Amino acid sequence: MLIAGNWKMNTDLPRGVELAKAIADGIDDADSAFDAIDFAVCPPFVHLQAVGEVLEDHPVAVGAQDVHSEDEGAYTSDVSAPMLTSVGCTHVIIGHSERRQYYGETDGEVNQKALQAHRHDLVPIICVGETIDQRRSGDAKSVVHAQLEGALDGLEVTAADDLIIAYEPVWAIGTGESATPEQAQDMHAVIREDLADRYGADVASDIELLYGGSMKPHNAADLLSQPDVTGGLIGSASLEAESFLGIAEEAAAVLEG
Ligand code: PEP
């Protein structure tokens, strides 16, 4: 079970460090309660090193929110995979719907970034998800299927921890209206099947499939108790340690049964 926070373009450096410390303290205070939970936080690029230092002795991976597909070059403002690994980053979110929506990121670009992440031993957290119009017109599954096809082209995955997929219906992100547990499970089952076709059932069965879209402490247990929902990618609720760890508490309770 992986509980991952996407801080997006929030927090300045002192606030980001404070948030990381509060998460670290909360994990320490919980003793063994979170032993079965994996954590990741994805702060803004400029916080990565400092947040990594705060979390160094804690079971919290540090990820970036994007990566360029080239190692280096004249790409003003972009950040490369070698830069990310050099500050201790182990994960990277790729193809978040806000990147697709505001920057026109295509499945082809998502694919190039995912391949680049693998070349540098970064675990890609690939985001897929339909818009409300696509859901209303009955196209949600075919849209997500096509996004996966595009993103995973040529991406070799031989172990489950080489890849993480986040299903994030666009209409649920930042809206307070989460998918229902049934909607989430339905789509996660489709994703799991696609991964099994591509990588084999053994590997696919252990790939983390995160749900993202208005996950909060109050709805986390219902979402996380679905068989194919093995974690959450959390936006606004990851900006307070209390709500982020509150979701982790729900996750731990689900695992305990
Ligand atoms: C996200 O953007 O990855 C996300 C899930 O946001 P929120 O939790 O705020 O809906």
Side-chain angles (χ1 to χ4, degrees), residues 150-199:
L152 300 179
D153 190 29
L155 192 77
E156 278 188 38
V157 171
T158 51
D161 52 11
D162 288 348
L163 174 67
I164 297 168
I165 303 290
Y167 168 55
E168 300 207 305
V170 179
W171 47 272
I173 294 179
T175 60
E177 185 201 347
S178 127
T180 65
E182 295 71 28
Q183 286 170 327
Q185 169 55 29
D186 246 28
M187 192 63 85
H188 281 228
V190 168
I191 294 170
R192 183 86 68 202
E193 236 176 81
D194 277 5
L195 295 175
D197 288 346
R198 189 173 282 270
Y199 301 123

Side-chain angles (χ1 to χ4, degrees), residues 21-165:
K21 281 186 179 149
I23 291 170
D25 288 347
I27 293 174
D28 286 346
D29 291 348
D31 284 328
S32 57
F34 293 141
D35 279 1
I37 309 291
D38 294 320
F39 289 97
V41 293
C42 302
F45 288 128
V46 292
H47 305 7
L48 284 170
Q49 184 162 9
V51 165
E53 282 165 12
V54 170
L55 296 172
E56 204 171 0
D57 296 322
H58 292 83
V60 185
V62 177
Q65 298 173 19
D66 189 26
V67 64
H68 196 276
S69 55
E70 298 289 330
D71 280 1
E72 60 184 4
Y75 302 103
T76 300
S77 91
D78 277 316
V79 174
S80 72
M83 291 174 189
L84 296 180
T85 54
S86 74
V87 293
C89 212
T90 54
H91 290 63
V92 58
I93 295 173
I94 297 175
H96 190 281
S97 65
E98 287 151 13
R99 298 291 315 168
R100 295 176 188 260
Q101 187 180 349
Y102 303 138
Y103 301 93
E105 201 160 290
T106 63
D107 290 331
E109 286 164 330
V110 171
N111 177 243
Q112 290 305 307
K113 291 179 177 190
L115 294 169
Q116 173 71 343
H118 266 193
R119 281 192 287 272
H120 291 274
D121 291 330
L122 285 162
V123 180
I125 304 174
I126 297 178
C127 300
V128 295
E130 80 286 357
T131 63
I132 192 62
D133 288 345
Q134 290 164 336
R135 176 158 284 268
R136 286 190 181 131
S137 59
D139 296 329
K141 287 179 183 167
S142 59
V143 165
V144 167
H145 177 73
Q147 287 174 334
L148 279 178
E149 286 280 293
L152 300 179
D153 190 29
L155 192 77
E156 278 188 38
V157 171
T158 51
D161 52 11
D162 288 348
L163 174 67
I164 297 168
I165 303 290

Side-chain angles (χ1 to χ4, degrees), residues 6 8 96 98 168 172-174 212-214 233-236:
N6 173 12
K8 309 194 187 187
H96 190 281
E98 287 151 13
E168 300 207 305
I173 294 179
S214 299
L233 181 56
I234 295 133
S236 51

